[in-house]
Amino acid sequence: MSTDSPRPTPGFLVWRLANKWRVAVDRAVAPLGLTHAQYSLVASLYGMQRAGERPSQRRLADHTGLEALYVSKLARALESAGLIERTRDPRDPRAVQLALTEQGRAVTRQAIAVVQELLQQLLEPLGGLDAPRTRAFADELTTLLDAPLAPSVPTDESTQGTTP
């Protein structure tokens, strides 16, 4: 980048980093028959189950930040692959609970190990996975993720002369 060029915005940098990491995780977990999105789902489900929870699809969607409809689609594909079970919640017949199968737990443990190794490599410029700079980076990202987004309501002035 030349010195005359404007600096990239933080949003652009976060987007680029997210895409770079998504592609890296996709490639790393592909030999296990997973995509990055599927990995995010089974790894989150693995952690939630270890904590004693059997989450609904909605709860897992909230936890991962994925859309509920997308979680449902991923869950059906993972169920077809024999990695998760989908059952009706006895307390709410509209809700579907998710759980890893034995095969799903085994694949997820392998995938977590692969991704941890990848994260160590990706975070090496900050000193590695357990480095103080990495912890500070994670804290900053958490701050941004935890900040609520106020719905933006356009004013009459800001929408004048524009088309939807």
Side-chain angles (χ1 to χ4, degrees):
M1 215 174 196
S2 75
T3 56
D4 296 342
S5 299
R7 292 180 55 100
T9 65
F12 178 74
L13 294 172
V14 167
W15 177 75
R16 287 279 316 270
L17 183 61
N19 281 317
K20 177 181 179 176
W21 285 21
R22 181 192 50 79
V23 167
V25 172
D26 265 336
R27 289 178 181 153
V29 298
L32 297 170
L34 296 173
T35 65
H36 180 268
Q38 290 172 328
Y39 168 76
S40 297
L41 201 79
V42 295
S44 293
L45 186 53
Y46 183 81
M48 295 169 94
Q49 277 187 231
R50 287 187 58 167
E53 192 174 345
R54 185 174 177 135
S56 66
Q57 287 184 171
R58 164 57 66 189
R59 169 81 178 95
L60 192 55
D62 292 344
H63 178 80
T64 60
L66 296 171
E67 293 291 326
L69 191 59
Y70 190 43
V71 168
S72 177
K73 179 182 173 183
L74 290 170
R76 281 193 302 275
L78 291 164
E79 181 181 40
S80 293
L83 300 180
I84 68 167
E85 298 171 331
R86 298 169 67 240
T87 57
R88 291 281 170 208
D89 185 335
R91 297 165 303 206
D92 181 357
R94 297 166 300 162
V96 175
Q97 289 181 317
L98 303 175
L100 290 167
T101 62
E102 188 174 320
Q103 177 189 359
R105 284 189 298 277
V107 168
T108 301
R109 281 191 297 270
Q110 290 177 320
I112 288 170
V114 166
V115 171
Q116 287 297 305
E117 190 175 309
L118 174 63
L119 283 175
Q120 181 65 33
Q121 177 188 349
L122 291 170
L123 291 165
E124 197 55 45
L126 298 180
L129 196 54
D130 297 319
R133 284 183 66 198
T134 299
R135 284 192 295 279
F137 177 59
D139 289 345
E140 296 291 352
L141 292 172
T142 301
T143 298
L144 293 173
L145 287 168
D146 288 347
L149 291 177
S152 85
V153 180
T155 62
D156 288 342
E157 291 176 12
S158 67
T159 58
Q160 281 184 332
T162 62
T163 56

